[in-house]
């Protein structure tokens, strides 16, 4: 009788065996470990023992008031509670709330960092403002020195002329008194930068002459006899002291 072969060749047998054993290695390994555990130590026993922490003892409560005859013979709940309270008082953090204990260091650190940052920002702004004022003062000093330099006489005259024209231009649509006032004010403002001494003397002279004219007009219309005191000479207006003269007579 002729036997029938299941596989025609060895390569076909290997291919079918690989197809049969094909699967997820994790599932195969897990099944192998579970089978080995059941055989060796039993199905209900774990290979790695689990350790569970003991539950904390319950907090004792204050015992109710009792009569003397109701007190237990071998127990003293009131003294036990008193000892429990005394043990808690020995802890330095007994009266410190838990939330405060955990949040206070963080809040302190944040507050300290905030104060340091605000101080640095304030100091930065203060230094910047001080430096800006110093630079502005230097620029103003240099500008005045440049505008009052005798070598820049043409620029000084031009600035006074521009100030006069600007004052007249700003008051051109007003009356004649406003034009005169605006032109004079522009001249004085521009002259105070380029010619400070001359502008000061001119301003004093204008005030003095204008006051005398107003008082004279008031005396004419009101028949009064008011007068303005004569202007005292400034130290700059006085002539300089003459140099000392040499003696002409020979010494005896």
């Amino acid at each position: 009788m002729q036997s029938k072969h299941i596989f025609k060749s060895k390569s076909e047998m290997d291919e079918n065996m690989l197809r049969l054993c094909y699967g997820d290695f994790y599932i195969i390994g897990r099944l192998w470990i579970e089978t080995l555990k059941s055989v060796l130590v039993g199905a209900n026993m774990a290979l790695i023992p689990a350790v569970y922490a003991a539950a904390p003892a319950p907090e004792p409560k204050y015992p109710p008031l009792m009569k003397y005859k109701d007190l237990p013979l071998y127990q003293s709940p009131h003294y036990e509670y008193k000892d429990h309270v005394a043990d808690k008082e020995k802890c330095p953090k007994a009266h410190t709330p838990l939330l405060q204990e955990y949040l206070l260091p963080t809040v302190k650190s944040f507050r300290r960092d905030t104060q340091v940052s605000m101080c640095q920002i304030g100091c930065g702004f203060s230094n910047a403002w001080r430096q800006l004022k110093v630079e502005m003062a230097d620029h103003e000093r240099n500008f005045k020195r440049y505008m009052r330099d005798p070598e820049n006489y043409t620029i000084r005259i031009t600035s006074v002329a521009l100030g006069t024209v600007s004052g007249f231009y700003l008051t051109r649509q007003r009356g004649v008194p406003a034009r005169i006032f605006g032109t004079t004010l522009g001249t004085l403002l521009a002259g105070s930068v380029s010619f400070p001494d001359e502008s000061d003397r001119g301003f004093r002279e204008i005030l003095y002459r204008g006051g005398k004219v107003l008082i004279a007009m008031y005396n004419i219309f009101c028949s009064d006899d008011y007068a303005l005191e004569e202007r005292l000479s400034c130290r700059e207006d006085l002539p300089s002291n003459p140099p000392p003269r040499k003696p002409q007579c020979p010494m005896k």
Side-chain angles (χ1 to χ4, degrees):
M1 183 176 179
Q2 187 177 1
S3 61
K4 295 182 179 180
H5 298 282
I6 300 175
F7 303 106
K8 296 181 180 180
S9 62
K10 185 178 180 180
S11 60
E12 185 180 357
M13 182 182 66
D14 294 339
E15 183 179 355
N16 290 325
M17 291 298 294
L18 289 175
R19 188 178 303 171
L20 179 64
C21 297
Y22 179 77
D24 195 346
F25 288 103
Y26 173 77
I27 297 176
I28 297 174
R30 188 67 181 175
L31 292 175
W32 172 254
I33 291 174
E34 292 293 335
T35 304
L36 184 62
K37 183 179 69 173
S38 301
V39 172
L40 295 178
V41 297
N44 297 327
M45 185 175 180
L47 291 177
I48 302 175
V51 179
Y52 299 96
E59 185 76 13
K61 298 182 180 180
Y62 184 78
L65 297 177
M66 300 180 185
K67 295 182 180 181
Y68 180 75
K69 60 181 180 179
D70 296 335
L71 291 174
L73 294 177
Y74 302 103
Q75 294 180 357
S76 55
H78 296 85
Y79 282 101
E80 291 177 359
Y81 184 79
K82 183 179 179 180
D83 294 339
H84 172 71
V85 173
D87 292 338
K88 288 184 63 177
E89 292 293 336
K90 293 179 182 179
C91 180
K93 298 181 180 180
H95 299 285
T96 304
L98 185 61
L99 188 62
Q100 178 181 352
E101 180 181 356
Y102 284 98
L103 291 182
L104 186 60
T106 305
V107 173
K108 282 185 176 180
S109 177
F110 178 75
R111 181 180 179 183
R112 190 182 304 109
D113 296 341
T114 304
Q115 290 178 350
V116 172
S117 301
M118 294 301 295
C119 180
Q120 292 177 354
I121 293 174
C123 293
F125 276 112
S126 178
N127 295 333
W129 176 250
R130 191 180 302 110
Q131 185 177 1
L132 179 62
K133 290 196 298 184
V134 171
E135 292 180 357
M136 292 297 294
D138 293 340
H139 288 305
E140 182 181 0
R141 192 182 305 108
N142 295 332
F143 178 75
K144 288 182 178 180
R145 186 184 299 112
Y146 178 79
M147 293 300 296
R148 295 172 185 177
D149 191 359
E151 297 181 357
N152 301 325
Y153 185 77
T154 305
I155 299 177
R156 296 163 67 188
I157 293 295
T158 305
S159 65
V160 174
L162 290 176
T164 304
V165 173
S166 300
F168 176 78
Y169 179 78
L170 293 175
T171 57
R172 70 186 186 280
Q173 296 180 356
R174 301 177 182 270
V176 176
R179 294 179 185 177
I180 296 175
F181 177 77
T183 305
T184 306
L185 183 62
T187 305
L188 290 176
L189 290 178
S192 63
V193 178
S194 301
F195 302 94
D197 298 333
E198 292 81 354
S199 300
D200 183 63
R201 286 196 296 268
F203 181 70
R204 293 173 184 270
E205 189 69 25
I206 290 173
L207 290 181
Y208 178 72
R209 298 298 179 185
K212 290 188 69 174
V213 171
L214 292 177
I215 290 176
M217 294 174 62
Y218 177 79
N219 291 333
I220 292 173
F221 286 105
C222 298
S223 300
D224 287 331
D225 191 13
Y226 288 100
L228 187 66
E229 293 183 359
E230 293 295 331
R231 183 174 65 89
L232 298 178
S233 300
C234 297
R235 182 177 299 178
E236 292 80 5
D237 298 335
L238 297 176
S240 59
N241 296 327
R245 300 178 62 183
K246 296 181 180 181
Q248 300 295 331
C249 299
M251 297 181 62
K252 295 182 180 181

